[in-house]
Amino acid sequence: MVIGNIIIMLGLSPLMVLNTDLVVASVPPEKTGAASSLSEMSSELGMALSISIFGIIGTAVYRHLVAGYIPNGISQETGQAVRDTLAGAVTVAKSLPYDSVLEAAKHAFLSGIQVVGGVSSILLLGLIVLYLTLLRDVRR
């Protein structure tokens, strides 16, 4: 995870610095503090919202897919634990004599991650198109 975060930050840090520089350079010198704080706040808000929205999407996909694989013979609380999280499914699967619940939960979790990746890719492509069309005439 540390190596993955290092790679992500190596890609994100220059963009974040460039974004702040663009925002601060676009306002008069007496308003640079306010522009910088607004840029930082909107960046933090965007990250928090995207984490929550993508988390909701991933969880919805997981719950939808795993619901059909919960065996009929288990209690409602146990079934709810499987539906809630992958960790709950792993815990429940340890007490069951078969692995179908665990395999279904793994598949549903990975499918949720794939859907989130697909939605992210589509949004990124949309932002690229928006950037290229709206900022085409902006002087460099």
Side-chain angles (χ1 to χ4, degrees):
M1 289 190 69
V2 171
I3 292 171
N5 278 330
I6 288 171
I7 292 170
I8 289 171
M9 292 316 292
L10 284 174
L12 281 179
S13 294
L15 295 175
M16 293 170 72
V17 170
L18 178 63
N19 182 44
T20 303
D21 285 348
L22 286 171
V23 169
V24 171
S26 68
V27 297
E30 64 272 4
K31 295 187 178 186
T32 56
S36 175
S37 65
L38 184 62
S39 171
E40 182 66 25
M41 188 268 317
S42 63
S43 175
E44 295 292 329
L45 179 64
M47 283 191 273
L49 283 175
S50 63
I51 288 170
S52 64
I53 290 169
F54 288 141
I56 289 169
I57 292 170
T59 301
V61 170
Y62 171 81
R63 288 182 177 172
H64 174 74
L65 292 177
V66 83
Y69 291 96
I70 297 174
N72 291 332
I74 64 175
S75 69
Q76 186 175 357
E77 296 85 25
T78 305
Q80 189 62 40
V82 172
R83 272 190 295 280
D84 283 347
T85 63
L86 179 61
V90 170
T91 303
V92 168
K94 289 178 184 176
S95 65
L96 296 176
Y98 40 87
D99 292 337
S100 63
V101 172
L102 183 58
E103 291 305 315
K106 287 179 183 179
H107 173 72
F109 183 78
L110 290 176
S111 295
I113 290 175
Q114 290 172 344
V115 168
V116 167
V119 170
S120 300
S121 299
I122 291 169
L123 287 174
L124 179 61
L125 290 174
L127 287 173
I128 290 170
V129 168
L130 189 67
Y131 168 78
L132 291 175
T133 56
L134 292 179
L135 298 178
R136 182 181 323 176
D137 298 329
V138 175
R139 196 174 57 136
R140 296 175 194 247

